[in-house]
Amino acid sequence: MTQSTLAPMAPALIANADRLLLAPANLDFDKISRVLASIHEHDVDFADFYFQHSCFESWSLEEGIVKAGTFNIDRGVGVRAVSGDKQAFAYSDDISLPALEEAASAVRAIGRQGQSTSTPLGRTGDTRLLYPDADPVLSLGDPAKVELLMRLERFARALDPRVVQVMASLAGEHETVLIARSDGLLAADTRPLVRVSITVIVEEHGRREQGYAGGGARLDYGYFTDAQLQSLAKQAVDQALVNLAARDAPAGNMTVVLGNGWPGILLHEAVGHGLEGDFNRKGTSAFSGRIGERVAAPGVTVVDDGTLGERRGSLNLDDEGHPTQRTVLIEDGILRGYMQDRLNSGLMNTGATGNGRRESFAHLPMPRMTNTIMLAGAHDPAEIIGSVKKGLYAANFGGGQVDITSGKFVFSAAEAYMIEDGKITYPVKGATLIGNGPDALTRVTMVGNDLQLDGGIGTCGKDGQSVPVGVGQPTLKIEGLTVGGTSG
């Protein structure tokens, strides 16, 4: 995992945002400063503008035919004022001075009688440079995008004659944001994002099973080389063939070994959300008020790291203008901190951690994960498998559900095997993992030395907002999880 250092805000980022977002509306920073100051005619704690311009496209292919293609451009501005724990918010897809003034008039009503201070814009903060200023949408012609998906399908079909159906999709996004705050800060970012996915269906003796794989990064479509496409096709076909040979999963309480990489989605859902600042400020998380306490087994260290180069969950700066950070959440089993945005960090008297994120200009920011990772331990994966008398090896996951307040989770395994006498024996299907996130952390008895990040496919939902994220973990051994299966 490579990390970046902070650098002064690149003038080119500000200039590009100005060109795309302000100049077409005859806006400049002096006008924006005056509108921000007008919000402070009422006594508010702070105010900010979030301008956004985004181009998004997606292509989907099935049976060698492009079944759908979409392209859209969105632009707009969100206006927020904060007073205590209250937020007033307005947004508009009309970026103009009258629209800004109307929104500012609406949100300042949240403030008390009297005035507060606003600083003229001009201060530019530090940022990170984690990805190139690349436009995926323009990086490849439309025929080449279709051909990319057709190659992916050909790679999958060539791997095994039992492949009967292939579905593939390609998506790219180029986003420019400009953040203007009433403390005088100007910040901007240009964010590329690409993703490809493949689902294959295999059939043998009338039985059908499917497999899935995907990948992506904050780069352009050049990221998807033939070698990468072949690897994704093989992952999907291998998973489908494993499921084709799988037996019904047993049910009961047993030792579970989680594979590395994407299985970190369980950590993200069952533990990560409970470490976001808003849930803890409100006392609704299973981790509320437990800083400094042991919440996991020794050897378990969890970080949220938005500073990893080109990763799907990484950002140069968050959606409030703060540079992203590497935040230690759990250290050797001890709870050290929460992920924070500006509002919650102020109310909890802690520092912002660069985790203020929003889906778009039409949404309020809130504490959200970036790349949430359990760090490596000392054990070889073979040693971990060899230590299990009888248990389940969950190599990959599908969907799941989590209750943030209680920490209870239910996750379905997309690829799983039985472990018997220290050896992986046969694949099983229909396995679900049932447990409690905080409790499961205390049941970790071995942490592998094979930390791996996911391939770049994660999307996280919270309060109706979706944002791209990353996960990662080494192989883990957890004692006494409940496995729901399809056989006794």
Side-chain angles (χ1 to χ4, degrees):
M1 295 185 296
T2 57
Q3 294 174 317
S4 74
T5 57
L6 286 172
M9 180 73 64
L13 291 173
I14 297 288
N16 182 57
D18 185 2
R19 176 182 61 82
L20 278 175
L21 292 159
L22 303 185
N26 195 30
L27 284 172
D28 57 38
F29 297 131
D30 286 340
K31 292 175 182 177
I32 295 173
S33 290
R34 289 197 293 271
V35 180
L36 276 170
S38 75
I39 298 175
H40 282 265
E41 290 174 1
H42 288 198
D43 186 8
V44 300
D45 296 329
F46 68 90
D48 58 17
F49 293 163
Y50 182 85
F51 298 88
Q52 179 187 32
H53 178 282
S54 65
C55 297
F56 173 83
E57 69 172 357
S58 66
W59 301 79
S60 63
L61 178 140
E62 186 175 344
E63 298 301 320
I65 301 171
V66 174
K67 290 294 182 73
T70 64
F71 175 81
N72 63 278
I73 297 175
D74 287 327
R75 63 195 306 271
V77 58
V79 181
R80 175 176 63 150
V82 177
S83 178
D85 62 354
K86 299 178 296 181
Q87 298 185 90
F89 180 68
Y91 69 91
S92 173
D93 56 8
D94 174 19
I95 298 178
S96 67
L97 185 59
L100 280 180
E101 290 173 336
E102 183 178 354
S105 177
V107 301
R108 72 185 179 198
I110 197 175
R112 300 171 292 275
Q113 291 298 317
Q115 292 187 334
S116 52
T117 302
S118 176
T119 302
L121 292 172
R123 178 172 64 89
T124 57
D126 293 333
T127 188
R128 302 187 184 279
L129 299 174
L130 302 173
Y131 32 79
D133 178 10
D135 187 343
V137 177
L138 299 179
S139 68
L140 210 58
D142 291 350
K145 295 167 188 172
V146 173
E147 172 57 24
L148 185 154
L149 290 175
M150 295 183 73
R151 288 202 311 280
L152 183 57
E153 181 189 42
R154 290 196 297 270
F155 291 150
R157 289 188 178 276
L159 288 169
D160 197 284
R162 289 168 289 183
V163 174
V164 296
Q165 191 171 359
V166 178
M167 293 154 283
S169 67
L170 177 71
E173 182 177 1
H174 188 243
E175 179 182 76
T176 299
V177 301
L178 175 68
I179 299 151
R181 302 194 324 215
S182 59
D183 62 0
L185 181 80
L186 270 174
D189 195 12
T190 301
R191 302 166 175 171
L193 189 65
V194 294
R195 172 176 169 164
V196 72
S197 64
I198 177 172
T199 299
V200 301
I201 296 175
V202 296
E203 182 177 8
E204 186 175 46
H205 306 310
R207 176 175 169 178
R208 286 191 166 206
E209 297 289 348
Q210 73 174 30
Y212 170 86
R218 289 201 175 275
L219 293 167
D220 63 23
Y221 290 134
Y223 176 70
F224 299 118
T225 63
D226 277 1
Q228 177 133 23
L229 296 178
Q230 289 170 338
S231 175
L232 293 173
K234 187 175 189 307
Q235 290 174 43
V237 172
D238 286 352
Q239 185 183 107
L241 294 176
V242 165
N243 289 326
L244 195 62
R247 309 178 199 175
D248 289 340
N253 191 270
M254 66 183 73
T255 300
V256 174
V257 176
L258 303 180
N260 64 352
W262 178 246
I265 190 64
L266 190 151
L267 173 75
H268 167 103
E269 293 287 0
V271 177
H273 278 297
L275 296 174
E276 292 168 335
D278 48 354
F279 294 125
N280 289 280
R281 177 176 66 83
K282 298 171 184 176
T284 57
S285 166
F287 296 101
S288 296
R290 300 188 64 190
I291 297 291
E293 295 182 15
R294 178 166 295 284
V295 296
V300 172
T301 295
V302 179
V303 303
D304 186 83
D305 194 342
T307 73
L308 304 177
E310 301 171 356
R311 300 299 304 181
R312 179 175 171 85
S314 296
L315 294 170
N316 289 327
L317 48 85
D318 74 1
D319 294 327
E320 297 180 305
H322 299 106
T324 51
Q325 298 180 17
R326 180 183 186 273
T327 303
V328 178
L329 304 171
I330 299 172
E331 183 178 31
D332 198 20
I334 306 299
L335 182 61
R336 296 301 186 193
Y338 306 123
M339 291 165 278
Q340 300 285 12
D341 63 353
R342 178 170 180 170
L343 171 67
N344 287 278
S345 66
L347 294 170
M348 297 178 73
N349 295 313
T350 67
T353 60
N355 288 96
R357 304 189 65 187
R358 59 175 101 200
E359 180 177 324
S360 76
F361 68 87
H363 300 84
L364 275 167
M366 66 180 84
R368 302 295 299 271
M369 285 172 273
T370 57
N371 303 296
T372 309
I373 302 160
M374 183 182 293
L375 300 188
H379 297 281
D380 186 86
E383 177 192 0
I384 295 175
I385 297 292
S387 71
V388 179
K389 178 70 174 175
K390 184 175 182 180
L392 182 80
Y393 174 53
N396 216 329
F397 280 107
Q401 293 181 329
V402 178
D403 183 298
I404 301 301
T405 303
S406 67
K408 293 180 180 178
F409 64 79
V410 178
F411 272 85
S412 60
E415 180 181 349
Y417 305 82
M418 289 305 298
I419 306 172
E420 297 173 320
D421 295 324
K423 295 180 180 179
I424 293 175
T425 51
Y426 58 90
V428 295
K429 64 174 184 174
T432 58
L433 301 187
I434 303 167
N436 176 287
D439 176 65
L441 284 181
T442 67
R443 297 175 179 270
V444 174
T445 57
M446 299 178 80
V447 180
N449 59 11
D450 59 338
L451 169 62
Q452 180 175 307
L453 304 182
D454 76 286
I457 59 174
T459 298
C460 173
K462 176 181 175 181
D463 291 349
Q465 295 192 41
S466 296
V467 296
V469 295
V471 300
Q473 70 173 39
T475 299
L476 297 179
K477 178 183 177 182
I478 307 176
E479 299 288 357
L481 276 187
T482 300
V483 176
T486 51
S487 69

